[in-house]
Amino acid sequence: MGGFKSIEKINNLAFSNSIIGRLFIANILLLPLFCGILGVSLDKAFSDSLKSSEKAQLLLQAYALMASAELTNNTLWLPEKLTEDKLNQVSSGLFAMVFSETENKLIWRSPSAINKAISQSWSPIKLSSGQQIFTEVEHNKEQFFFLQYSVTWENSEQQDLTFQFGIFNKQEVFQEQVSIYQQTLWGWLSAISVLIVLIQILILKWGLKPIRTVAEDLLSIQSGKSSHLKGDYPLELTKMTDAINTLLSTEAEQRTRYKDTLSNLAHSLKTPLAIMQGSLYELNNATTQEKSSTSETVAASKNDLTEQINRIDQIINYQLKRSVVAPTNPFFNKVNVLVQCNKIVSTLKKVYREDETQVDIKVPNDVFFNGDEDDLLEVLGNLLDNAFKYGKGQIRIQAKQINNAQISICIEDNGTGISEAFKNKVLLRGERADTTQPGSGIGLASVTDIVSHYGGSCSLEASSLGGLAFKIEF
């Protein structure tokens, strides 16, 4: 097939120039990005959840301390042994302190804060009564969660005494939980990413298998093993394979038509060429022998040559006219019928200007012919030329859209019409109903050939104008 490119190159395409390769590269680039965003989001959500839990725990510790505190001599007294064991253990990492704003000094530390340097330098943040803050602090390269709660007591003299409760908790356990979660999270995300890539590759190979099948079938067509695509293809490829089959059929029919035309042309030219060859032979003999009848022989031979040259011209025109009637092409644009009717009528009125023919065009602007514009011009041109030629000054053109793929056209005249006996004959090539007018009898045959190639039909009926109505359905 000259129109096909070498499909064998499909199997040797570079990795980046294949569909699977491109999708694989896209996955390799985008999947880590998506997994990274997902991992960061989950990591942050987990950390925020742990921090919220830590805040709630420290707030409970603050409430417990406030519940156990007693106001004595304008200062707070807290028990030596606290209910929370971690506050009693020196190395627990959880410790608490109370600062008196009235005395502007640290008035109490939990037993667990005895050896903590931060307990000597802690300065509370100024807060209103009932206000609290939760944050993270660093001291001596150690990270702590910190909660400060401000509370006001009223002494016996009805004076307000404000105290700041500070609760500290080391982040070792928090960081260990986050580290374990991150290792688990990123490990699973990496494994899932690899698994997704492998699954997608398998899915792509399975999903693109019909395309490889089409490529293999096209190779079979190219090698001559098959003439059409015959596989059971998915719905997404059916339109494409149907279109390819239509193009293959169109090309095969066109080659057959050209072959038949050339064969007919060669066969038709045999007789006139033989006559011309004989005439030339007689001319040569007459010139050589110098007979008395030379002038008569030369004149007869010239007449024969002229006649056969004209015959050859007719044969060539006839065969060329047949060869240009091509099968329908599914990729032609829609042709507006009204525009073409106006174009042809305008031209024919110049040819038949002396007849003053009246043409009534009743064609809606939304009627379209789905085919080759030249084919429509050929059909309308032949029919309207006959209407101008055989009508008596009145022509009517009607057309309507039957559905998206079918139209009906009717051309009528007010001539003498055609008898029933001739209605079928005039559609044959070379047959004419009226020999008084010049013509070759090819026009209506050409019309029927074109219409039949579009799967349409032709019919001749009596016209309400008094003449002939030629109806076509494409």
Side-chain angles (χ1 to χ4, degrees), residues 365-411:
N365 196 40
D366 59 350
V367 177
F368 292 93
F369 168 68
N370 188 23
D372 190 344
E373 180 179 337
D374 291 336
D375 287 343
L376 182 62
L377 288 173
E378 180 75 13
V379 169
L380 295 177
N382 282 315
L383 296 180
L384 288 172
D385 183 59
N386 283 346
F388 270 88
K389 185 185 299 182
Y390 299 110
K392 296 181 179 179
Q394 190 175 0
I395 298 173
R396 182 165 60 209
I397 307 172
Q398 300 180 83
K400 63 180 179 179
Q401 194 87 33
I402 299 175
N403 53 48
N404 290 335
Q406 190 175 7
I407 63 172
S408 173
I409 300 175
C410 179
I411 297 178

Side-chain angles (χ1 to χ4, degrees), residues 42-184:
L42 293 175
D43 186 24
K44 187 176 185 306
F46 181 75
S47 298
D48 291 344
S49 176
L50 288 181
K51 288 179 181 179
S52 298
S53 177
E54 186 70 26
K55 178 182 178 182
Q57 292 295 326
L58 294 183
L59 188 58
L60 288 175
Q61 296 295 336
Y63 288 151
L65 288 175
M66 286 185 283
S68 62
E70 293 182 6
L71 185 63
T72 304
N73 297 327
N74 292 333
T75 188
L76 285 180
W77 176 88
L78 286 97
E80 294 181 2
K81 188 71 173 179
L82 300 170
T83 56
E84 175 59 54
D85 290 336
K86 289 184 178 181
L87 292 175
N88 300 318
Q89 299 173 4
V90 176
S91 61
S92 67
L94 177 67
F95 56 93
M97 293 176 285
V98 180
F99 184 88
S100 173
E101 287 191 359
T102 305
E103 300 177 14
N104 193 25
K105 66 176 182 179
L106 188 68
I107 61 173
W108 180 84
R109 291 183 298 174
S110 67
S112 59
I114 297 301
N115 65 343
K116 301 296 182 183
I118 192 173
S119 65
Q120 305 294 331
S121 60
W122 176 58
S123 297
I125 301 170
K126 183 71 174 178
L127 296 176
S128 302
S129 179
Q131 188 178 2
Q132 60 174 288
I133 61 168
F134 174 78
T135 185
E136 300 177 44
V137 295
E138 181 180 358
H139 187 77
N140 291 339
K141 298 182 180 180
E142 289 184 323
Q143 298 288 334
F144 297 91
F145 287 116
F146 168 62
L147 177 78
Q148 181 181 332
Y149 197 101
S150 178
V151 63
T152 300
W153 262 271
E154 188 177 281
N155 61 12
S156 58
E157 299 174 357
Q158 295 184 345
Q159 292 178 335
D160 291 336
L161 303 175
T162 303
F163 300 93
Q164 304 290 344
F165 286 74
I167 315 295
F168 295 82
N169 192 20
K170 206 170 184 180
Q171 292 189 2
E172 283 182 348
V173 176
F174 167 81
Q175 291 174 352
E176 183 179 354
Q177 289 178 322
V178 170
S179 177
I180 294 173
Y181 176 78
Q182 287 177 341
Q183 291 177 4
T184 305

Side-chain angles (χ1 to χ4, degrees), residues 261-272:
T261 299
L262 291 174
S263 298
N264 294 338
L265 184 62
H267 183 271
S268 300
L269 291 178
K270 283 183 179 179
T271 301

Side-chain angles (χ1 to χ4, degrees), residues 16 44 124 137 144 155 225 242 277 337 363 404:
S16 61
K44 187 176 185 306
V137 295
F144 297 91
N155 61 12
K225 297 177 181 178
D242 288 347
Q277 187 177 14
V337 176
V363 180
N404 290 335

